[in-house]
């Protein structure tokens, strides 16, 4: 299954490590340092030029980590993955 992040960007749900709210997660210096290092390494993909609301951390089968910054909220992205629906059915 794939997750649409906005514009023309889709990622495989199986590659997702985490979906993070930009406002609450960037309070931590560790998160800000990680995002800065990822930006310098060229591993950040900015999906939209609008105000970012969340970022998605992905690791592909080659163990290459990418960060996708999107204007879609973390709650909406989580709903799109269907993860919460799977938990409700257990």
């Amino acid at each position: 299954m794939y997750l649409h992040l906005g514009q023309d960007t889709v990622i495989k749900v199986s590659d997702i490590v985490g979906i993070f709210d930009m406002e609450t997660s960037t309070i931590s210096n560790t998160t800000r340092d990680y995002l800065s290092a990822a930006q310098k390494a060229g591993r950040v993909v900015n999906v939209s030029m609008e105000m970012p609301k969340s970022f998605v951390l992905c690791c592909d089968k080659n163990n290459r980590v990418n960060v996708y910054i999107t204007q879609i909220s973390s709650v909406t992205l989580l709903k799109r993955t269907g993860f919460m629906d799977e938990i409700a059915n257990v």
Side-chain angles (χ1 to χ4, degrees), residues 24-71:
T24 58
S25 62
T26 55
I27 292 171
S28 167
N29 285 335
T30 305
T31 304
R32 285 196 307 258
D33 292 344
Y34 178 80
L35 290 174
S36 177
Q39 179 75 35
K40 290 176 185 174
R43 295 182 288 126
V44 174
V45 178
N46 196 346
V47 174
S48 173
M49 293 302 135
E50 296 179 29
M51 180 66 83
K53 292 185 181 175
S54 61
F55 65 94
V56 181
L57 186 62
C58 295
C59 184
D60 63 16
K61 62 184 176 185
N62 298 323
N63 290 328
R64 190 174 53 215
V65 177
N66 289 310
V67 179
Y68 294 88
I69 298 177
T70 179
Q71 79 280 2

Side-chain angles (χ1 to χ4, degrees), residues 6-20:
Q7 304 296 10
D8 295 328
T9 306
V10 292
I11 57 172
K12 291 174 72 173
V13 171
S14 60
D15 290 348
I16 296 175
V17 174
I19 299 173
F20 303 91

